[in-house]
Amino acid sequence: MSVLRTVVISPIRLYQRVISPALPRSCKYEPTCSHYAAEAIRTEGVLRGLVLGAWRILRCNPWSHGGYDPVSAQRLFRPRRSSPSS
Amino acid sequence: MPVAIIAPIQWLINLFLPILEFFHDQIGIGWGLSIILLTILLRLCVLPLGVKSFKSMRGLQAITPQMKALQTKYKDDKARLQQETMKLYSEHKVNPFGSCLPLLVQIPFLISFYYMLRTDLKFEICGGGRSLGLPHDVGCSEVPNPSTGFHYDSSTFDTDVARFKEMGRSIGGFGESFIGIHDITAVATGSLLVLLLVLYVGSQMASSIVNMPPTADKNQKRLMLALPLIFVFFLIPIKPPSGLFLYWITTNVFTLVQQWGLIQVFGHVKHEPVPEDDVDAGGAVAVKAAGGGPAPPPPPRKRKKKKSGRRR
């Protein structure tokens, strides 16, 4: 994984380690918004990942149904033809 | 601060500032009250989120007796309990978890208020829209009024102020005070800081009690209550301007009032009856029939169904 992706993901990891355990579960999706964002950045890249993560948080509102929603099911971006394996 | 963060914050500040100016200049109320009004306005904008969360939370509370019954019935069979619980959720169309957005939506507001009070709003209150070069811990109450010709310089600040005083200008009095707060643009210190922190922590605790999700266990409840106390330790070093507490306390009080109002409008939770003999499939059917009154779960709306195709 590139250095930039690791750097961008690190605050999310920090949130997951320090802040999130103190709160009751407040995400109706599986994987949760923070896991989704980290995974999206890891696999799709920083820009796409941040857009996907932001879009997921917006979808995680009281009107949506929640449930299983992995990064691979996203339809915002076309899948990359040759995905560079990290 | 990276551009990606500061740009949206500046955008929000540029949105808020004209509203505050409108309250202050056109309606003619003080800056402190303007901040409170803007806070209430913002909370009214996100009210639909609150109403929806309230309804879904109540839907969940309504089935707690059934959940408890399931828990006693399958206390030795964890897997079965999980299955039955999920079945109960889907039967009543409730999602046991809250959503991320209502929690996160307040954070940009808070950061914007913090920066706005330190920069643009401070310029507006005592500089006539112009930056006076004031450091963050010097508020408008220490600035000569009117401030024309004044620019902050730490080495000559005291003599500058004395000079302006001799010219017959007063110090402060731009409308930067609000009730007991002598300067909303300055960092609160001493007994004022203690008072504001007590009010903040108190209102925060009260609002987290009324918003506690029913899925939270005992430890999480304790942690959530302790959270504002922990937060205070992080708060003091970043030196928030007193005006930030106005926003904060108002928004917490709004939460309390909103919760009270929603209970008034929608009534208290009516727990659905649990048939004593069977809480399984038969019980759920009986409950569905009994739950026809005004009691939750909220009936699924047509709009919701349409959207479910696109979102999952």
Side-chain angles (χ1 to χ4, degrees):
Chain A
M1 191 165 48
S2 77
V3 182
L4 188 62
R5 291 182 192 186
T6 319
V7 170
V8 178
I9 289 173
S10 59
I12 301 176
R13 293 262 181 268
L14 189 76
Y15 160 80
Q16 289 173 341
R17 294 259 164 79
V18 182
I19 303 171
S20 181
L23 304 168
R25 171 153 181 177
S26 43
C27 187
K28 47 171 58 173
Y29 282 102
E30 178 61 45
T32 62
C33 292
S34 66
H35 283 104
Y36 183 92
E39 177 66 12
I41 293 166
R42 198 177 66 79
T43 57
E44 300 286 319
V46 172
L47 283 179
R48 281 185 173 196
L50 285 176
V51 171
L52 282 170
W55 176 236
R56 168 57 117 63
I57 289 170
L58 287 177
R59 282 183 295 141
C60 190
N61 61 48
W63 286 274
S64 69
H65 290 273
Y68 183 60
D69 172 46
V71 178
S72 55
Q74 63 93 8
R75 275 170 290 167
L76 225 54
F77 299 108
R78 276 186 213 165
R80 292 184 198 276
R81 243 170 252 162
S82 56
S83 56
S85 54
S86 46
Chain B
M1 270 274 190
V3 185
I5 294 177
I6 206 76
I9 295 301
Q10 192 59 49
W11 186 84
L12 276 178
I13 291 178
N14 293 344
L15 181 78
F16 293 161
L17 206 60
I19 300 174
L20 285 174
E21 277 173 43
F22 173 80
F23 286 149
H24 182 263
D25 301 343
Q26 307 296 319
I27 302 180
I29 50 178
W31 289 111
L33 205 57
S34 302
I35 291 176
I36 291 178
L37 266 187
L38 176 61
T39 310
I40 294 172
L41 199 70
L42 286 175
R43 287 303 304 266
L44 286 175
C45 290
V46 295
L47 189 63
L49 280 175
V51 174
K52 188 69 195 174
S53 296
F54 176 82
K55 280 186 177 171
S56 57
M57 204 138 99
R58 237 175 30 143
L60 194 60
Q61 278 167 351
I63 57 168
T64 38
Q66 282 145 290
M67 269 162 63
K68 287 221 175 92
L70 282 180
Q71 272 163 10
T72 45
K73 192 171 177 190
Y74 300 110
K75 61 171 175 260
D76 302 321
D77 191 352
K78 274 273 156 65
R80 184 77 198 274
L81 174 64
Q82 184 79 15
Q83 260 182 11
E84 293 295 328
T85 315
M86 291 318 280
K87 220 165 99 185
L88 188 68
Y89 288 152
S90 59
E91 262 165 18
H92 291 264
K93 292 199 169 61
V94 291
N95 190 316
F97 307 117
S99 26
C100 312
L101 193 63
L103 215 87
L104 282 175
V105 86
Q106 310 234 4
I107 295 173
F109 290 167
L110 185 68
I111 301 175
S112 306
F113 267 93
Y114 174 73
Y115 277 102
M116 184 168 68
L117 280 158
R118 284 181 149 205
T119 56
D120 299 53
L121 186 60
K122 200 158 148 185
F123 304 161
E124 196 58 43
I125 291 177
C126 57
R130 159 181 83 94
S131 169
L132 298 173
L134 294 172
H136 298 314
D137 51 349
V138 177
C140 285
S141 59
E142 295 174 55
V143 170
N145 185 6
S147 63
T148 37
F150 171 82
H151 197 271
Y152 181 83
D153 185 341
S154 60
S155 53
T156 60
F157 181 59
D158 291 336
T159 51
D160 281 351
V161 168
R163 194 162 49 83
F164 277 106
K165 260 186 181 165
E166 273 172 25
M167 285 162 64
R169 294 196 193 173
S170 54
I171 303 299
F174 297 92
E176 74 280 356
S177 59
F178 180 70
I179 313 178
I181 306 170
H182 77 285
D183 186 352
I184 55 169
T185 59
V187 178
T189 49
S191 53
L192 178 65
L193 179 65
V194 174
L195 178 70
L196 288 175
L197 286 178
V198 167
L199 281 174
Y200 158 65
V201 170
S203 62
Q204 185 72 56
M205 280 180 171
S207 74
S208 44
I209 288 172
V210 299
N211 268 335
M212 200 71 80
T215 45
D217 61 37
K218 245 183 201 158
N219 275 330
Q220 281 174 330
K221 279 180 181 167
R222 270 192 218 129
L223 264 169
M224 259 184 110
L225 281 181
L227 215 57
L229 285 174
I230 299 164
F231 204 58
V232 163
F233 285 98
F234 292 96
L235 203 64
I236 294 170
I238 65 163
K239 297 188 171 174
S242 317
L244 189 71
F245 288 97
L246 282 183
Y247 163 76
W248 229 334
I249 294 165
T250 310
T251 196
N252 286 338
V253 171
F254 191 96
T255 306
L256 291 174
V257 174
Q258 175 184 306
Q259 196 71 10
W260 177 82
L262 288 173
I263 289 171
Q264 296 302 306
V265 171
F266 295 104
H268 280 278
V269 176
K270 269 192 196 161
H271 288 299
E272 298 190 9
V274 186
E276 275 185 16
D277 51 326
D278 200 354
V279 283
D280 224 316
V285 171
V287 161
K288 265 203 168 167
R301 287 190 294 176
K302 276 174 199 158
R303 209 157 57 92
K304 213 161 134 193
K305 263 202 167 158
K306 209 176 90 193
K307 276 186 179 167
S308 66
R310 262 185 290 137
R311 302 172 186 178
R312 65 185 57 210

